Amino acid sequence: KDESKLFSGNDQKEISHDKADQSTLEKTEESPFIIQLHNKYILSQIKSGLMIIDQHVAHERILYEKALNRLETDIPFSQQLLFPKKVQTDPARAALLKHLEPYLIRLGFQIKFLAKDIIKIEGVPDDVRKGTEEQVLFELLEEYSNNEREKQLKQTDNLAKSYSCKTAIKAGDRLDERAMRLLIDQLFATSMPYVCPHGRPIVLKISLNEFDRRFGRT
């Protein structure tokens, strides 16, 4: 495959991979070299040269496929909060929550409606970090509303994209070596590891030949 086509700026199509792709991506656990660059990119040595991964969009791809699977199979996994959070919101946001509640339950959210503008968050998906429950839920709703206005997306696709965007690790999040290797393993277990749900590139590879050329070794 011509990988340069995967990174054209305006190409929003998702490109699947197969067993042949997998064989070209040497397993990172065999690599003696894996580091995080500026808490944003993961650099890993591979046989052909260097592989660079954008950690945020890589995690987005993983969570997007996970969310779609949960929405389609209706097998939620919720983490119960030891101390449920009572949150005041506005009527419009509460109405959207009520509308999306069946899908949010499938993702793993557990919400009780106490009044027109008061909710209680009792459980969240396992991808939501402790202390960010309210923030993630409301950012998800905002992203969903923006997508609804600006893009023609199926409801489940919109929700999965909004969820993955707001729960993924961010640029600036520090990862240890184990977390980086796990992220790469999970990325290449997805159906489309090269492109994030929004069409941005995830993986860039630079060959040793390219390094040699730039250093005048050819």
Side-chain angles (χ1 to χ4, degrees):
K1 294 182 181 178
D2 181 3
E3 289 187 10
S4 65
K5 291 180 182 177
L6 301 180
F7 303 114
S8 56
N10 296 321
D11 188 0
Q12 297 296 310
K13 293 181 180 178
E14 295 190 340
I15 303 169
S16 63
H17 78 314
D18 53 27
K19 300 273 186 186
D21 292 316
Q22 198 79 330
S23 66
T24 67
L25 294 157
E26 296 81 355
K27 291 184 178 179
T28 56
E29 53 265 21
E30 297 173 358
S31 169
F33 169 83
I34 183 169
I35 63 169
Q36 189 182 30
L37 179 67
H38 293 291
N39 295 341
K40 183 183 289 189
Y41 300 104
I42 298 170
L43 277 57
S44 177
Q45 177 179 311
I46 55 176
K47 288 180 183 177
S48 59
L50 180 69
M51 178 169 68
I52 306 169
I53 292 175
D54 183 322
Q55 67 186 37
H56 172 68
V57 292
H59 201 208
E60 266 195 300
R61 163 55 64 187
I62 294 163
L63 294 177
Y64 171 71
E65 294 196 9
K66 183 177 179 180
L68 277 183
N69 183 60
R70 287 186 174 179
L71 289 168
E72 290 167 1
T73 59
D74 194 13
I75 306 175
F77 180 81
S78 181
Q79 288 187 147
Q80 298 296 306
L81 299 184
L82 188 58
F83 301 103
K85 294 194 170 185
K86 189 182 289 188
V87 181
Q88 182 157 8
T89 182
D90 58 78
R93 188 185 277 169
L96 181 57
L97 273 173
K98 195 70 178 173
H99 174 67
L100 294 176
E101 185 183 16
Y103 301 100
L104 293 172
I105 290 172
R106 291 183 185 185
L107 286 176
F109 287 98
Q110 290 189 7
I111 301 164
K112 274 194 175 177
F113 295 85
L114 304 179
K116 188 167 66 172
D117 57 355
I118 299 175
I119 63 168
K120 183 161 69 172
I121 305 172
E122 297 186 332
V124 293
D126 50 330
D127 304 302
V128 177
R129 286 177 286 185
K130 186 178 180 181
T132 66
E133 298 87 359
E134 177 185 345
Q135 176 187 342
V136 166
L137 180 61
F138 289 153
E139 285 184 354
L140 184 161
L141 292 179
E142 184 177 357
E143 182 77 5
Y144 179 91
S145 297
N146 289 339
N147 287 343
E148 198 172 38
R149 285 193 299 269
E150 299 170 9
K151 302 174 183 178
Q152 298 295 320
L153 299 175
K154 285 174 55 179
Q155 192 170 42
T156 53
D157 190 44
N158 186 353
L159 199 55
K161 285 179 176 175
S162 301
Y163 173 79
S164 65
C165 179
K166 298 308 174 183
T167 53
I169 56 176
K170 303 291 190 290
D173 288 348
R174 186 172 181 80
L175 304 177
D176 60 23
E177 182 175 326
R178 180 178 175 277
M180 286 188 282
R181 293 188 187 277
L182 179 62
L183 185 74
I184 293 173
D185 286 346
Q186 291 177 337
L187 173 64
F188 288 108
T190 66
S191 63
M192 301 173 188
Y194 294 105
V195 183
C196 89
H198 303 289
R200 289 171 53 194
I202 297 173
V203 180
L204 177 65
K205 290 195 290 181
I206 304 175
S207 69
L208 278 175
N209 290 338
E210 176 64 15
F211 280 112
D212 289 343
R213 186 185 69 78
R214 288 180 177 254
F215 281 102
R217 286 181 171 270
T218 55

